[in-house]
Amino acid sequence: MCGIVGYIGSKEKRGFLINGLKELEYRGYDSAGIAVLKDNEISSFKATGKLTNLDAKTADFSSEGFGLGIGHTRWATHGKPTEINAHPHWGEFSYVIHNGIIENYKEIKDTLVSDGVTFLSQTDTEVIVHLFEKFIKIGENAFSAFEKTIASLHGAYAILLISKKEPDVIFFAKNAVPLIVGRSAENEIFFSSSDAPLIGWAKEVMYLEDGQYGWAKCKELSLFKSLKTQALNFKALSQDKILAQKDGFRFFMEKEIYEQSIVVGETLMGRIKDNSIVLDELKDICFEDIDAIKICACGTSYHAALSASYMFERLSKIRCSVEIASEFRYKQPLLDTKTLFIVISQSGETADTLEALKMAKNANMKTLAICNVDNSSIVRTADFTLLTRAGIEKGVASTKAFATQVVTLWLLALFIGDKKQNISQELMRLEIDALLHTPLVVKVNEIVHEKIRRLSKRYLHGHGFFFIGRDIFFPLALEGALKLKEISYLHAEGYPAGEMKHGPIALADSELFTIALMPKTLLYDKMKSNVEELSARDSTILAISPEPFDIADDFIKTNLHTHPMSEFFEMMVITQLLALEISIRLGNDVDMPRNLAKSVTVE
Ligand code: F6R
C-alpha cells in the first residue's frame, strides 16, 4: 500500500512532500522518492528504507517560489525494493508516481521496447511515463497524451505525472486506489492518498471517484471521467490526524477488515488471464518433479495453510501436509526433495517459520514463501516468493493478511492443478468465477456489522466459546476463535464440528457459547446434527448461515452462494467483526492486545 503526495504552489516543496510522506508511513513502505519541477528544471531524489534516508539525501535541497512537487512511498509488488524501482520514474522530460498495479503493463512494455524505449526499472509504473511521452512524440499535446495514456491502462492506480511540456501542471488519475485533491485559501493545490498529510495545509478536499482524471494548475482544476467534464465536489477537511490515519474507523483492525475488498482485488490483479492462472514468479519451478506439498507456518498463517491443504488435495490433486513451524523444527522430520516446501508469513520475520524454511533448504527441497513483506528474511531465504499484497497490517490481530494469504493459496492450488493437468477447463472456469467474486464477498455489509455490534453485548461473559465448522470451515473456526481470544481475552477454541462428541461436548451448558459456521454448499446436514447435539445440552448457539435455524439462540444470515469459498470469505468477515465488537465492548485495546507482538522474531 504505497503513499502519494503532490503540491502546486510557492511554498518550499520538499518540506510538504517529506512531511506528507511521513504522515503516510502507517501505510507501510520500503523506499521513497520525490521530484520537484521549478523553472523548467526537474530535481529528483530516491532512497530505500526509512524516510530518514530520503530526508538526509535532500537536506541541502530547497525550492522556494512557484513550482510543482510529487512524492511517493513504495511497497514493492513488481520488482525488489531497490532505489531504481523506487518512484518517481522518468522518461526524457516527464516524471510519474503511481500506487496500485497496472495489469496490462507487460503488453504495453513489449510494444514500447519494440519502439526502442529503454526501461530502467522492473516496475509496472514505468510504462506510464514512456507511454505518455510516446503520445507526445507522435504529435499529441500533453493533455490528450495523458488522456490517451490513462485510457490504455487496465488495473488499479492513483497517478501523478509532471512534465516539462506543461511546467505548471500536475496530471492525475484515480481508479480503485484512493486519491484526494486538496485546496488552500491561497489557491495552493495538494494531492494525497489520505487526509492525514493535508491537515494543517488544505482547507477543503475532494475525494476522487474511480475513473476520474484531470490536470491541476494553481488556480485551475479540470476533472473528467470517460472524456466528460465532471463537477468539482470539495468539502471542508476535518483536522483530526489520528482519525485521518484510521480513515475515520475506531481502530486499525476495523479499517483493515473494511480494506479486505480492495487488497484481495490487488492479490488477484494480473494473476488471472483468459481462464488460466498466471504466476510469473513461479515460472522456473518444474512441477513434474514435485509430488507433494508441505506447509509450515504459525498462528493465523497456519490457519491459512490448513485451509489450503483442502484446496491442494481437491484442486491440484497433490498430497499436502501442514505443520506448526515450532513443532516441525524439533520433530526430526523426514524431508524429501520431491516435496515443495511452502512457508506462509505475514511479516516474513517469524523466527520459527524462518528456521523451518532453513531446514528445508538444507535438505535441498524447493522452497516457496507466501509472504506480505518483500525483502523480509523469509523472502530473502526462500527460492521463490508469492507476495500477498495486503499492504501494511497495523492491527496485531491479523485480518486482511489472512484473507490475502488464502486467496494467494487458492490461486496457487489452481495453478499447480493446471500444471499437473488435473483441472478441467470447466472446473477452472467455475473456480476463476468464484475467485473474481471474492472482493465483493469480503466487502463489509454495514447492516450485518450493525447487527453484530448489537449482538455482541450478549457474548461478554460465559466460560468459553466453541467455534465449530467442518471441512475448510474448520480452519476458519480455528481462526475465528484465535481472533476472539487475542483481543477479548475470553477463552475460545476452534473445533471440527464432528469432534465435539468425542470429549469437548462435556463442557456444554448455557454459559458455553457455540459459534456455528453452517454453510449451505458443504455438509450442511452434518453440521446441523452437530449443532443440535450442542443445543440439546443447552449450549447458547449463534448460527451463521444462509438458512435460518430454529434452535439457534442468535442467527446471522449470510448470502446464498454457489461456491464454498464464497461462504468461507463471507463468514470470515463476520467472525472478524464479532471479535472486534466484543473486544470494543470489553474496553480492550483492539490494535495492541496485551502480551502480543506483531512480529514474533524469537522462539
Ligand atoms: C494472529 C496473528 C499471529 C500471526 C503469527 C505468525 O492474529 O497475527 O498468530 O499470524 O504470529 O505471524 P506471521 O504471519 O508474520 O509469520
Coordinates of all heavy atoms in Angstrom, one line a residue, residues 116-195:
G116 N 11.8 0.9 -29.3 CA 13.2 1.3 -28.9 C 13.3 2.0 -27.6 O 14.3 2.6 -27.3
V117 N 12.2 2.0 -26.8 CA 12.3 2.6 -25.4 C 13.1 1.7 -24.5 O 13.0 0.5 -24.5 CB 10.9 2.8 -24.8 CG1 11.0 3.3 -23.4 CG2 10.1 3.7 -25.7
T118 N 14.0 2.3 -23.7 CA 14.8 1.5 -22.7 C 14.2 1.7 -21.3 O 13.9 2.9 -20.9 CB 16.3 2.1 -22.7 OG1 16.7 2.1 -24.0 CG2 17.1 1.2 -21.8
F119 N 14.0 0.6 -20.6 CA 13.4 0.7 -19.3 C 14.5 0.6 -18.3 O 15.5 -0.2 -18.4 CB 12.4 -0.4 -19.1 CG 11.1 -0.1 -19.7 CD1 10.8 -0.2 -21.0 CD2 10.0 0.3 -18.9 CE1 9.6 0.1 -21.6 CE2 8.8 0.6 -19.4 CZ 8.6 0.5 -20.7
L120 N 14.4 1.3 -17.2 CA 15.5 1.3 -16.2 C 15.0 0.3 -15.0 O 15.9 -0.3 -14.4 CB 15.7 2.7 -15.6 CG 16.2 3.7 -16.5 CD1 16.3 5.0 -15.7 CD2 17.6 3.3 -17.0
S121 N 13.7 0.3 -14.7 CA 13.3 -0.4 -13.5 C 12.5 -1.7 -13.9 O 12.3 -2.0 -15.1 CB 12.3 0.5 -12.8 OG 11.1 0.5 -13.4
Q122 N 12.2 -2.5 -12.9 CA 11.4 -3.7 -13.1 C 9.9 -3.4 -12.9 O 9.1 -4.3 -12.8 CB 11.8 -4.8 -12.1 CG 13.3 -5.2 -12.2 CD 13.7 -5.9 -11.0 OE1 13.7 -5.4 -9.9 NE2 14.1 -7.2 -11.1
T123 N 9.5 -2.2 -12.6 CA 8.2 -1.9 -12.2 C 7.2 -1.8 -13.3 O 7.5 -1.6 -14.5 CB 8.1 -0.5 -11.5 OG1 8.5 0.5 -12.5 CG2 9.1 -0.4 -10.4
D124 N 5.9 -2.0 -13.0 CA 4.8 -1.8 -13.9 C 4.6 -0.3 -14.2 O 4.3 0.1 -15.3 CB 3.5 -2.4 -13.4 CG 3.2 -2.0 -11.9 OD1 4.1 -1.5 -11.2 OD2 2.0 -2.1 -11.5
T125 N 5.0 0.6 -13.2 CA 4.7 2.0 -13.2 C 5.4 2.7 -14.4 O 4.9 3.6 -15.0 CB 5.2 2.6 -11.9 OG1 4.5 2.0 -10.8 CG2 5.0 4.1 -11.9
E126 N 6.7 2.2 -14.7 CA 7.5 2.9 -15.6 C 6.8 3.0 -17.0 O 7.1 4.0 -17.8 CB 8.9 2.3 -15.7 CG 9.9 3.2 -16.3 CD 11.3 2.6 -16.5 OE1 11.6 1.6 -15.8 OE2 12.1 3.1 -17.3
V127 N 5.9 2.1 -17.3 CA 5.3 2.1 -18.7 C 4.5 3.4 -18.8 O 4.3 4.0 -19.9 CB 4.4 0.9 -19.0 CG1 5.1 -0.4 -19.0 CG2 3.2 0.9 -18.1
I128 N 4.0 4.0 -17.7 CA 3.0 5.1 -17.8 C 3.8 6.3 -18.4 O 3.3 7.0 -19.3 CB 2.5 5.5 -16.4 CG1 1.8 4.3 -15.8 CG2 1.6 6.7 -16.5 CD1 1.4 4.5 -14.3
V129 N 5.0 6.6 -17.9 CA 5.7 7.8 -18.3 C 6.2 7.6 -19.8 O 6.1 8.6 -20.6 CB 6.8 8.1 -17.3 CG1 8.0 7.2 -17.3 CG2 7.3 9.5 -17.6
H130 N 6.6 6.4 -20.1 CA 7.1 6.2 -21.5 C 5.9 6.3 -22.5 O 6.0 6.8 -23.6 CB 7.8 4.9 -21.7 CG 9.1 4.9 -20.9 ND1 10.1 5.8 -21.0 CD2 9.6 4.0 -19.9 CE1 11.1 5.6 -20.2 NE2 10.8 4.5 -19.5
L131 N 4.7 5.8 -22.1 CA 3.6 5.8 -23.0 C 3.1 7.2 -23.2 O 2.8 7.7 -24.3 CB 2.4 4.9 -22.4 CG 1.2 4.7 -23.2 CD1 1.6 4.0 -24.5 CD2 0.2 3.8 -22.5
F132 N 3.1 8.0 -22.1 CA 2.8 9.4 -22.2 C 3.7 10.2 -23.2 O 3.2 10.9 -24.0 CB 2.9 10.0 -20.8 CG 2.7 11.5 -20.7 CD1 1.5 12.1 -20.8 CD2 3.9 12.3 -20.5 CE1 1.4 13.5 -20.7 CE2 3.8 13.7 -20.4 CZ 2.5 14.3 -20.5
E133 N 5.0 9.9 -23.0 CA 5.9 10.6 -23.9 C 5.8 10.1 -25.4 O 6.0 10.9 -26.3 CB 7.4 10.4 -23.4 CG 7.5 11.1 -22.0 CD 9.0 11.4 -21.6 OE1 9.9 10.7 -22.2 OE2 9.2 12.2 -20.7
K134 N 5.5 8.8 -25.5 CA 5.3 8.3 -26.9 C 4.1 9.1 -27.6 O 4.3 9.5 -28.7 CB 4.9 6.8 -26.8 CG 4.6 6.2 -28.2 CD 4.3 4.7 -28.1 CE 3.7 4.2 -29.3 NZ 3.5 2.8 -29.4
F135 N 3.0 9.3 -26.8 CA 1.9 10.0 -27.5 C 2.3 11.5 -27.8 O 1.9 12.0 -28.8 CB 0.7 10.1 -26.5 CG -0.1 8.7 -26.5 CD1 -0.2 8.0 -25.3 CD2 -0.6 8.2 -27.7 CE1 -0.9 6.8 -25.3 CE2 -1.3 7.0 -27.6 CZ -1.4 6.3 -26.4
I136 N 3.1 12.1 -27.0 CA 3.6 13.4 -27.3 C 4.5 13.4 -28.5 O 4.3 14.3 -29.4 CB 4.3 14.0 -26.0 CG1 3.3 14.3 -25.0 CG2 5.1 15.3 -26.4 CD1 3.7 15.1 -23.8
K137 N 5.4 12.4 -28.6 CA 6.3 12.4 -29.7 C 5.5 12.2 -31.1 O 6.0 12.6 -32.1 CB 7.3 11.3 -29.5 CG 8.4 11.7 -28.5 CD 9.4 10.6 -28.3 CE 10.2 10.8 -27.1 NZ 10.8 9.7 -26.5
I138 N 4.3 11.6 -31.0 CA 3.6 11.4 -32.3 C 2.6 12.6 -32.5 O 1.7 12.5 -33.3 CB 2.9 10.1 -32.4 CG1 2.0 9.8 -31.2 CG2 3.9 8.9 -32.5 CD1 1.2 8.5 -31.4
G139 N 2.8 13.7 -31.7 CA 2.1 14.9 -32.0 C 0.9 15.3 -31.1 O 0.3 16.4 -31.4
E140 N 0.6 14.5 -30.1 CA -0.5 14.9 -29.2 C 0.1 16.0 -28.3 O 1.2 16.1 -28.0 CB -0.9 13.7 -28.3 CG -1.3 12.5 -29.1 CD -2.7 12.7 -29.7 OE1 -3.4 13.6 -29.4 OE2 -3.0 11.8 -30.6
N141 N -0.9 16.9 -27.8 CA -0.4 17.8 -26.8 C -0.4 17.0 -25.4 O -1.0 15.9 -25.4 CB -1.3 19.1 -26.7 CG -2.7 18.8 -26.3 OD1 -3.0 18.0 -25.4 ND2 -3.7 19.4 -27.0
A142 N 0.1 17.6 -24.4 CA 0.3 16.9 -23.1 C -1.1 16.4 -22.5 O -1.1 15.4 -22.0 CB 1.0 17.8 -22.1
F143 N -2.1 17.2 -22.7 CA -3.4 16.9 -22.1 C -4.0 15.6 -22.8 O -4.4 14.7 -22.2 CB -4.4 18.1 -22.2 CG -3.8 19.3 -21.5 CD1 -3.2 20.3 -22.2 CD2 -3.8 19.4 -20.1 CE1 -2.6 21.4 -21.6 CE2 -3.3 20.4 -19.5 CZ -2.7 21.5 -20.2
S144 N -4.0 15.7 -24.2 CA -4.6 14.5 -24.8 C -3.6 13.3 -24.7 O -4.1 12.1 -24.6 CB -4.9 14.8 -26.3 OG -3.8 15.0 -27.0
A145 N -2.3 13.5 -24.6 CA -1.4 12.4 -24.3 C -1.7 11.7 -23.0 O -1.7 10.5 -22.9 CB 0.1 12.9 -24.4
F146 N -2.0 12.5 -22.0 CA -2.3 12.0 -20.7 C -3.6 11.2 -20.7 O -3.7 10.1 -20.3 CB -2.4 13.1 -19.6 CG -2.5 12.5 -18.2 CD1 -1.5 11.8 -17.6 CD2 -3.7 12.6 -17.5 CE1 -1.6 11.3 -16.3 CE2 -3.9 12.1 -16.3 CZ -2.8 11.4 -15.7
E147 N -4.6 11.8 -21.4 CA -5.9 11.2 -21.5 C -5.8 9.8 -22.2 O -6.4 8.8 -21.8 CB -6.8 12.1 -22.3 CG -8.3 11.8 -22.3 CD -9.1 13.0 -22.6 OE1 -8.9 13.6 -23.6 OE2 -10.0 13.4 -21.7
K148 N -5.0 9.8 -23.3 CA -4.8 8.5 -24.0 C -4.0 7.5 -23.2 O -4.3 6.3 -23.3 CB -4.1 8.8 -25.4 CG -4.9 9.6 -26.4 CD -4.4 9.3 -27.8 CE -5.5 9.5 -28.8 NZ -5.6 10.9 -29.3
T149 N -3.1 8.0 -22.4 CA -2.3 7.1 -21.6 C -3.2 6.4 -20.6 O -3.2 5.2 -20.5 CB -1.2 7.9 -20.8 OG1 -0.4 8.5 -21.8 CG2 -0.3 6.9 -20.0
I150 N -4.0 7.2 -19.9 CA -4.9 6.6 -18.9 C -5.9 5.7 -19.5 O -6.2 4.6 -19.0 CB -5.7 7.8 -18.2 CG1 -4.7 8.7 -17.4 CG2 -6.7 7.2 -17.2 CD1 -3.7 8.0 -16.5
A151 N -6.4 6.0 -20.7 CA -7.3 5.1 -21.4 C -6.7 3.8 -21.8 O -7.4 2.8 -21.9 CB -7.9 5.8 -22.6
S152 N -5.4 3.7 -21.9 CA -4.7 2.5 -22.2 C -4.4 1.6 -21.0 O -4.0 0.4 -21.2 CB -3.3 2.8 -22.9 OG -3.4 3.8 -23.9
L153 N -4.6 2.1 -19.8 CA -4.2 1.3 -18.7 C -5.3 0.5 -18.1 O -6.5 1.0 -18.0 CB -3.7 2.3 -17.5 CG -2.6 3.2 -17.9 CD1 -2.3 4.1 -16.7 CD2 -1.3 2.5 -18.3
H154 N -5.1 -0.8 -17.8 CA -6.0 -1.6 -17.0 C -5.5 -1.8 -15.7 O -4.3 -2.1 -15.5 CB -6.3 -3.0 -17.7 CG -6.7 -2.8 -19.1 ND1 -6.6 -3.8 -20.0 CD2 -7.4 -1.8 -19.8 CE1 -7.1 -3.4 -21.2 NE2 -7.6 -2.2 -21.1
G155 N -6.3 -1.8 -14.7 CA -5.8 -2.1 -13.3 C -6.2 -1.1 -12.3 O -7.2 -0.4 -12.5
A156 N -5.4 -1.0 -11.3 CA -5.7 -0.1 -10.2 C -4.6 1.0 -10.1 O -3.4 0.7 -10.2 CB -5.7 -0.9 -8.8
Y157 N -5.0 2.2 -10.0 CA -4.0 3.3 -10.0 C -4.5 4.6 -9.3 O -5.6 4.9 -9.4 CB -3.5 3.6 -11.4 CG -4.6 3.8 -12.4 CD1 -5.3 5.0 -12.5 CD2 -4.9 2.7 -13.3 CE1 -6.3 5.1 -13.5 CE2 -5.9 2.9 -14.3 CZ -6.6 4.1 -14.3 OH -7.6 4.3 -15.3
A158 N -3.5 5.2 -8.6 CA -3.6 6.6 -8.3 C -2.3 7.1 -8.9 O -1.2 6.6 -8.6 CB -3.6 6.8 -6.8
I159 N -2.4 8.1 -9.9 CA -1.2 8.5 -10.6 C -1.0 10.0 -10.5 O -2.0 10.8 -10.6 CB -1.4 8.1 -12.1 CG1 -1.4 6.6 -12.3 CG2 -0.3 8.8 -13.0 CD1 -1.8 6.2 -13.7
L160 N 0.2 10.5 -10.3 CA 0.5 11.9 -10.5 C 1.7 12.0 -11.5 O 2.7 11.2 -11.4 CB 1.0 12.6 -9.2 CG -0.1 12.6 -8.1 CD1 0.5 13.4 -6.9 CD2 -1.4 13.3 -8.5
L161 N 1.6 12.8 -12.5 CA 2.6 13.0 -13.5 C 2.9 14.4 -13.7 O 2.0 15.3 -13.8 CB 2.1 12.3 -14.8 CG 3.1 12.2 -16.0 CD1 2.8 10.9 -16.8 CD2 2.9 13.4 -16.9
I162 N 4.2 14.7 -13.8 CA 4.6 16.1 -14.2 C 5.5 16.1 -15.4 O 6.2 15.0 -15.7 CB 5.4 16.8 -13.0 CG1 6.6 16.0 -12.5 CG2 4.4 17.1 -11.8 CD1 7.4 16.7 -11.5
S163 N 5.5 17.1 -16.2 CA 6.2 17.1 -17.5 C 6.7 18.5 -17.8 O 6.0 19.5 -17.6 CB 5.3 16.6 -18.6 OG 6.0 16.7 -19.8
K164 N 7.9 18.6 -18.3 CA 8.4 19.9 -18.8 C 7.6 20.5 -19.9 O 7.7 21.7 -20.2 CB 9.9 19.8 -19.2 CG 10.9 19.6 -18.1 CD 12.2 19.6 -18.7 CE 13.3 19.2 -17.7 NZ 14.6 19.2 -18.3
K165 N 6.8 19.7 -20.6 CA 5.9 20.2 -21.6 C 4.8 21.1 -21.1 O 4.3 21.9 -21.8 CB 5.3 19.0 -22.4 CG 6.2 18.1 -23.1 CD 6.8 18.8 -24.4 CE 7.9 18.0 -24.9 NZ 8.7 18.6 -25.9
E166 N 4.4 20.9 -19.9 CA 3.4 21.7 -19.2 C 3.9 22.0 -17.8 O 3.5 21.4 -16.8 CB 2.0 21.1 -19.2 CG 1.3 21.0 -20.5 CD 0.9 22.4 -21.0 OE1 0.8 23.3 -20.2 OE2 0.8 22.5 -22.3
P167 N 4.9 22.9 -17.6 CA 5.6 23.0 -16.3 C 4.8 23.6 -15.2 O 5.2 23.6 -14.1 CB 6.8 23.9 -16.7 CG 6.4 24.6 -17.9 CD 5.4 23.8 -18.7
D168 N 3.5 24.0 -15.4 CA 2.6 24.5 -14.3 C 1.6 23.4 -13.9 O 0.7 23.8 -13.1 CB 1.8 25.7 -14.8 CG 2.7 26.9 -15.2 OD1 3.9 26.8 -14.9 OD2 2.2 27.8 -15.8
V169 N 1.7 22.2 -14.5 CA 0.5 21.3 -14.3 C 0.9 20.0 -13.6 O 2.0 19.4 -13.9 CB 0.0 21.0 -15.8 CG1 -1.1 19.9 -15.7 CG2 -0.5 22.3 -16.4
I170 N 0.1 19.5 -12.8 CA 0.2 18.1 -12.3 C -1.0 17.4 -13.0 O -2.2 17.8 -12.8 CB 0.1 18.0 -10.8 CG1 1.4 18.6 -10.1 CG2 0.0 16.5 -10.4 CD1 1.5 18.4 -8.6
F171 N -0.7 16.3 -13.7 CA -1.7 15.4 -14.3 C -2.0 14.4 -13.2 O -1.1 13.8 -12.6 CB -1.2 14.8 -15.5 CG -0.9 15.8 -16.6 CD1 0.4 16.3 -16.7 CD2 -1.8 16.1 -17.6 CE1 0.7 17.3 -17.7 CE2 -1.6 17.0 -18.6 CZ -0.3 17.6 -18.6
F172 N -3.3 14.0 -13.1 CA -3.7 13.0 -12.1 C -4.7 12.1 -12.6 O -5.5 12.4 -13.5 CB -4.1 13.7 -10.8 CG -5.4 14.6 -11.0 CD1 -6.6 14.0 -10.8 CD2 -5.2 15.9 -11.3 CE1 -7.8 14.8 -11.0 CE2 -6.4 16.7 -11.5 CZ -7.6 16.2 -11.3
A173 N -4.8 10.8 -12.0 CA -5.8 9.9 -12.4 C -6.0 8.9 -11.2 O -5.1 8.6 -10.5 CB -5.4 9.1 -13.6
K174 N -7.3 8.4 -11.1 CA -7.6 7.5 -10.0 C -8.5 6.4 -10.4 O -9.5 6.6 -11.1 CB -8.3 8.4 -8.9 CG -8.6 7.6 -7.6 CD -10.1 7.4 -7.4 CE -10.4 6.9 -6.1 NZ -10.9 5.5 -6.0
N175 N -8.2 5.2 -10.1 CA -9.0 4.1 -10.3 C -8.8 3.0 -9.2 O -7.7 2.5 -9.2 CB -8.8 3.5 -11.7 CG -10.0 2.5 -12.1 OD1 -11.1 2.9 -11.8 ND2 -9.7 1.4 -12.6
A176 N -9.7 2.7 -8.4 CA -9.7 1.6 -7.4 C -8.6 1.8 -6.3 O -8.3 0.9 -5.6 CB -9.5 0.3 -8.0
V177 N -7.9 2.9 -6.3 CA -6.9 3.2 -5.2 C -7.2 4.7 -4.8 O -7.5 5.5 -5.7 CB -5.5 3.2 -5.9 CG1 -4.4 3.7 -4.9 CG2 -5.2 1.7 -6.3
P178 N -7.1 5.0 -3.5 CA -7.5 6.3 -3.1 C -6.6 7.5 -3.6 O -5.4 7.3 -3.7 CB -7.5 6.3 -1.6 CG -6.6 5.1 -1.2 CD -6.7 4.2 -2.4
L179 N -7.2 8.6 -3.9 CA -6.5 9.8 -4.3 C -7.4 11.0 -3.9 O -8.6 11.0 -4.3 CB -6.1 9.8 -5.8 CG -5.3 11.0 -6.2 CD1 -3.9 11.0 -5.5 CD2 -5.0 11.0 -7.7
I180 N -6.8 11.9 -3.2 CA -7.6 13.1 -2.7 C -6.9 14.4 -3.2 O -5.7 14.4 -3.3 CB -7.5 13.1 -1.1 CG1 -8.1 11.8 -0.6 CG2 -8.3 14.3 -0.6 CD1 -7.9 11.7 0.9
V181 N -7.7 15.3 -3.6 CA -7.2 16.6 -4.0 C -7.6 17.6 -2.9 O -8.7 17.7 -2.5 CB -7.8 17.1 -5.4 CG1 -7.1 18.4 -5.9 CG2 -7.8 16.1 -6.4
G182 N -6.6 18.5 -2.5 CA -6.9 19.5 -1.5 C -6.7 20.9 -2.1 O -5.9 21.0 -3.1
R183 N -7.2 21.9 -1.4 CA -7.1 23.2 -1.9 C -6.9 24.1 -0.6 O -7.6 23.9 0.4 CB -8.4 23.6 -2.6 CG -8.2 24.6 -3.7 CD -9.3 24.6 -4.7 NE -10.7 24.7 -4.2 CZ -11.8 24.7 -4.9 NH1 -11.7 24.6 -6.2 NH2 -13.0 24.8 -4.4
S184 N -6.0 25.1 -0.7 CA -5.9 26.0 0.5 C -6.5 27.3 0.1 O -6.9 27.6 -1.0 CB -4.4 26.2 0.8 OG -3.8 27.0 -0.2
A185 N -6.6 28.2 1.1 CA -7.2 29.5 0.9 C -6.4 30.3 -0.1 O -6.9 31.2 -0.8 CB -7.3 30.3 2.2
E186 N -5.1 30.0 -0.1 CA -4.2 30.8 -1.1 C -4.1 30.1 -2.4 O -3.2 30.4 -3.2 CB -2.7 30.8 -0.5 CG -2.6 31.5 0.8 CD -2.7 30.5 2.0 OE1 -2.0 29.5 2.0 OE2 -3.6 30.7 2.8
N187 N -5.1 29.2 -2.7 CA -5.1 28.6 -4.0 C -4.0 27.6 -4.3 O -3.7 27.3 -5.5 CB -5.2 29.6 -5.2 CG -6.6 30.1 -5.4 OD1 -7.5 29.3 -5.4 ND2 -6.7 31.4 -5.6
E188 N -3.3 27.1 -3.3 CA -2.4 26.0 -3.5 C -3.2 24.8 -3.7 O -4.3 24.6 -3.2 CB -1.5 25.8 -2.3 CG -0.6 26.9 -1.9 CD -0.2 26.8 -0.4 OE1 -1.1 26.9 0.4 OE2 1.0 26.7 -0.2
I189 N -2.6 23.8 -4.5 CA -3.3 22.5 -4.7 C -2.4 21.4 -4.1 O -1.2 21.5 -4.2 CB -3.4 22.2 -6.2 CG1 -4.3 23.3 -6.9 CG2 -4.0 20.8 -6.5 CD1 -5.8 23.2 -6.8
F190 N -3.1 20.5 -3.5 CA -2.4 19.3 -2.8 C -3.0 18.0 -3.3 O -4.2 18.0 -3.7 CB -2.6 19.4 -1.3 CG -2.2 20.7 -0.7 CD1 -3.0 21.7 -0.6 CD2 -0.9 20.8 -0.2 CE1 -2.6 22.9 0.0 CE2 -0.5 22.0 0.4 CZ -1.3 23.0 0.5
F191 N -2.2 17.0 -3.3 CA -2.7 15.6 -3.6 C -2.2 14.7 -2.5 O -1.1 14.9 -1.9 CB -2.1 15.1 -4.9 CG -2.7 15.8 -6.1 CD1 -2.0 16.9 -6.7 CD2 -3.9 15.4 -6.7 CE1 -2.5 17.6 -7.8 CE2 -4.4 16.1 -7.8 CZ -3.7 17.2 -8.4
S192 N -3.0 13.7 -2.2 CA -2.6 12.8 -1.2 C -3.4 11.5 -1.2 O -4.5 11.5 -1.7 CB -2.7 13.4 0.2 OG -2.5 12.5 1.2
S193 N -2.8 10.4 -0.7 CA -3.6 9.1 -0.6 C -4.6 9.1 0.5 O -5.5 8.3 0.5 CB -2.6 8.0 -0.4 OG -1.6 8.0 -1.3
S194 N -4.4 10.0 1.6 CA -5.3 10.0 2.6 C -5.3 11.5 3.2 O -4.5 12.3 2.9 CB -5.1 9.0 3.7 OG -4.2 9.5 4.7
D195 N -6.3 11.7 4.1 CA -6.4 13.1 4.7 C -5.2 13.6 5.5 O -4.9 14.7 5.5 CB -7.6 13.1 5.6 CG -8.9 13.1 4.9 OD1 -8.9 13.3 3.7 OD2 -10.0 12.9 5.6

